[in-house]
Amino acid sequence: MKDIIRIAVQKSGRLSDDSLSLIKECGIKFYNGTGKLKSTAINFPIEFLYLRDDDIPGYVADGVADLGIVGENELVEKDKKVEIIKKLGFSKCRLSLAIPKGEDYPGIAYFQGKNIATSYPRILGNYLKSNKVEASIHEISGSVEIAPSIGLAEGICDIVSSGSTLMMNGLKEVEEIFRSEAVLISNPDMEPGKKSIVEKLLFRMNAVQQGKGNKYILLNAPNDSLDRIISLIPGMRSPTVLPLAQEGWSSVHSVLSEDQFWENIVELRQAGAEGILVVPIEKMVL
Ligand code: ATP
Ligand code: MG
């Protein structure tokens, strides 16, 4: 039988869309009809399992799936034997401790002897231990933010992105204990045939990520300022310089990160650059 790899992705939630978009951007075609738990790609040897994110680390550790896309928070909490093979840069969030808005907060010692509600007992337990705080942890699986108002706990430890959910529930964030983003995980004992498919997938993901971080830039410049402009946008090997139909002018093409672009834009214009176009790059292989 031909080798095929299996990847576990979240069925529906905050990781799902970005996980599937990344795979599509790698040129992999598949149909994921709603309600389906499994599907197979048409043009790449990969099969998808659609699962709850909580179950992804376990399935990958057991080898039911070879790869998985999951938040680091869930991965560390589940503590399964898997390898992180790539950080994916989406679903960024933090795990924080929060208490009722009106309370004074003198520091982490505040939690000594208190009750804290969370869905992340392991991460929280480790954090409290390393800060030498003894508190009792109440594990609940959802709606953690309401715990203080119903008298279940004095504080909570939960995922925060903007902080608006905390505010709506009369809470304030007091300690950030963990930062998370989506990661690609793999089973540590994969057969060589599967490993080489994973390598191909990683190559494509890297090309997509490189492309996203960079822009293609085109501009017109008077020939006497070309040296200055080339030094501002050095590109991959060096910029392309083409003559314009108008005497004394050139078109300069290069690649640079979006940050570099904004940093250099004033100097580029001072150097005489005009008609500057910035174009997205779909894939980039160095
Ligand atoms: P499931 O039904 O699959 O168990 P869930 O309710 O546990 O889903 P989601 O809320 O979909 O999980 O979040 C999935 C992951 O996305 C989280 O574990 C975290 O890594 C990340 N995440 C959660 N909230 C946010 C947020 N507000 N912004 C960005 N990323 C987030
Ligand atoms: Mg979950």
Side-chain angles (χ1 to χ4, degrees):
M1 208 186 101
K2 261 190 108 222
D3 279 315
I4 183 162
I5 54 168
R6 241 189 210 172
I7 185 166
V9 295
Q10 191 188 25
K11 183 167 165 36
S12 80
R14 291 197 155 100
L15 291 159
S16 313
D17 288 350
D18 287 340
S19 304
L20 295 180
S21 312
L22 172 62
I23 291 164
K24 281 186 189 143
E25 283 166 333
C26 289
I28 297 173
K29 295 196 166 61
F30 56 94
Y31 301 107
N32 60 320
T34 42
K36 269 180 100 175
L37 299 179
K38 217 175 111 180
S39 67
T40 309
I42 300 160
N43 58 352
F44 194 85
I46 191 165
E47 216 170 59
F48 303 89
L49 291 186
Y50 304 101
L51 303 170
R52 284 203 56 189
D53 71 342
D54 311 54
D55 299 328
I56 293 175
Y59 273 58
V60 174
D62 296 344
V64 175
D66 306 295
L67 299 178
I69 296 180
V70 71
E72 280 173 298
N73 52 316
E74 211 52 56
L75 182 65
V76 172
E77 184 59 33
K78 292 292 185 287
D79 195 28
K80 299 282 183 189
K81 206 172 148 261
V82 300
E83 279 168 14
I84 295 184
I85 55 173
K86 189 167 179 55
K87 293 206 171 210
L88 299 175
F90 59 82
S91 298
K92 286 192 174 166
C93 59
R94 57 190 192 269
L95 205 56
S96 290
L97 281 161
I99 61 171
K101 237 182 347 229
E103 293 277 313
D104 281 339
Y105 184 71
I108 188 70
Y110 173 91
F111 290 99
Q112 180 66 35
K114 297 247 180 6
N115 295 306
I116 311 173
T118 188
S119 310
Y120 298 92
R122 183 190 301 271
I123 298 177
L124 176 59
N126 289 341
Y127 182 82
L128 293 175
K129 206 165 145 197
S130 67
N131 282 283
K132 302 190 172 50
V133 171
E134 281 178 35
S136 56
I137 298 175
H138 290 258
E139 182 176 357
I140 49 180
S141 61
S143 306
V144 174
E145 320 78 32
I146 60 161
S149 63
I150 59 172
L152 180 69
E154 284 112 346
I156 66 159
C157 170
D158 202 9
I159 287 176
V160 181
S161 57
S162 70
S164 59
T165 313
L166 289 183
M167 227 159 67
M168 277 186 318
N169 286 283
L171 299 171
K172 63 177 177 189
E173 185 177 358
V174 291
E175 301 280 349
E176 175 184 305
I177 74 166
F178 189 83
R179 267 178 190 270
S180 176
E181 67 184 83
V183 288
L184 180 68
I185 56 172
S186 95
N187 180 283
D189 317 302
M190 226 183 290
E191 303 150 21
K194 289 187 171 191
K195 260 196 187 143
S196 79
I197 302 173
V198 171
E199 288 304 318
K200 284 183 187 146
L201 180 66
L202 273 176
F203 181 86
R204 294 188 187 196
M205 284 186 174
N206 288 335
V208 171
Q209 251 182 9
Q210 291 280 2
K212 275 199 179 140
N214 289 283
K215 301 284 177 208
Y216 191 75
I217 175 169
L218 304 93
L219 56 83
N220 294 331
N223 287 346
D224 55 12
S225 59
L226 279 178
D227 289 346
R228 174 83 193 113
I229 286 176
I230 289 169
S231 74
L232 289 169
I233 50 172
M236 291 210 274
R237 187 177 292 276
S238 74
T240 306
V241 179
L242 300 167
L244 289 193
Q246 185 182 337
E247 190 88 11
W249 281 76
S250 296
S251 167
V252 183
H253 301 198
S254 191
V255 168
L256 75 171
S257 75
E258 179 146 12
D259 291 345
Q260 277 176 318
F261 170 74
W262 291 117
E263 271 164 32
N264 288 342
I265 183 70
V266 175
E267 278 183 82
L268 281 172
R269 297 191 68 199
Q270 277 168 355
E274 58 180 56
I276 302 171
L277 303 180
V278 178
V279 183
I281 296 173
E282 195 180 284
K283 314 267 187 317
M284 182 165 153
V285 177
L286 294 176

